[in-house]
Amino acid sequence: MRILLLVTFSLLLNGCTVMDRKVDVVTPFTLSPYLGKWYEIARLDHSFEQGLTKVTAEYSLSPEDPGLIRVINRGYRQEDDRWQQAHGRAHFWDSDQVGRFKVAFFRPFYGAYQIHDIISYQGRYIAALVIGPDIDYVWILSRTPELSDAVAKRFLAKLEQLGVDTSALIWLSPPPQ
């Protein structure tokens, strides 16, 4: 009976990991240049981010568990005149060489975080195109609050190739010209 309960529980937990559509991701990927603060440049809107501006995401290694990545998402809600913050955790999905993570803000529910494209400069990642568990979740991130038109256009072209409605993107910084 115990074995049956353990197997059932294990299946339920695995069922709490969501990835409806795998996309090509950055390979080889290196975590250390990805750690640190990122600014959200654009996104597809979802209830958990609705109305937020000045959104950032910060990634760091957990001192207790070297395989665990701590995530702090933060945004400003002007309607309430307050900052909102969410703490999460991430683990590599495949291997530490592949830009695909399992991310949870409400454990045991994990979603996919897929780094579809990345721009590197002097050994540091400076811009990223991230897809969630499917193409209904999209984020364009940058190390600075603004993104060059060339990089934005590159990411938009990739999103269009995936079938994303880019006109639905919410831009937190000026959209490309």
Side-chain angles (χ1 to χ4, degrees):
M1 185 67 169
R2 272 189 180 166
I3 293 173
L4 180 60
L5 284 173
L6 285 173
V7 169
T8 302
F9 184 69
S10 176
L11 288 173
L12 285 173
L13 283 181
N14 284 336
C16 295
T17 302
V18 177
M19 181 164 45
D20 296 333
R21 179 175 176 189
K22 269 190 174 181
V23 297
D24 291 335
V25 294
V26 174
T27 306
F29 175 81
T30 306
L31 181 60
S32 59
Y34 198 79
L35 298 174
K37 187 174 189 174
W38 290 87
Y39 293 87
E40 187 176 280
I41 302 300
R43 68 171 182 261
L44 289 179
D45 206 20
H46 287 282
S47 60
F48 54 87
E49 279 189 290
Q50 231 164 30
L52 293 182
T53 60
K54 303 176 187 173
V55 178
T56 61
E58 191 148 353
Y59 305 93
S60 62
L61 289 177
S62 168
E64 302 86 37
D65 180 356
L68 177 66
I69 302 156
R70 293 188 307 189
V71 183
I72 300 173
N73 287 350
R74 185 171 187 209
Y76 181 72
R77 184 175 303 284
Q78 185 154 355
E79 179 181 298
D80 304 339
D81 189 29
R82 68 181 175 93
W83 287 92
Q84 196 169 301
Q85 193 165 283
H87 293 261
R89 54 192 299 147
H91 299 276
F92 281 102
W93 193 295
D94 304 303
S95 83
D96 63 0
Q97 302 275 313
V98 178
R100 184 176 288 121
F101 300 93
K102 295 178 185 181
V103 178
F105 287 94
F106 309 102
R107 287 184 291 156
F109 303 101
Y110 283 84
Y113 182 96
Q114 304 181 83
I115 304 169
H116 183 60
D117 192 14
I118 205 152
I119 306 292
S120 183
Y121 179 72
Q122 295 183 341
R124 186 169 186 224
Y125 297 140
I126 60 168
L129 174 58
V130 178
I131 309 296
D134 58 42
I135 61 171
D136 291 332
Y137 296 87
V138 168
W139 296 271
I140 296 175
L141 306 176
S142 174
R143 293 293 187 174
T144 61
E146 294 189 8
L147 190 63
S148 74
D149 281 354
V151 173
K153 287 177 181 178
R154 170 178 161 165
F155 288 169
L156 288 173
K158 290 194 172 246
L159 289 171
E160 288 169 357
Q161 289 174 352
L162 290 173
V164 173
D165 177 9
T166 58
S167 69
L169 286 170
I170 295 171
W171 291 89
L172 302 178
S173 75
Q177 300 298 315

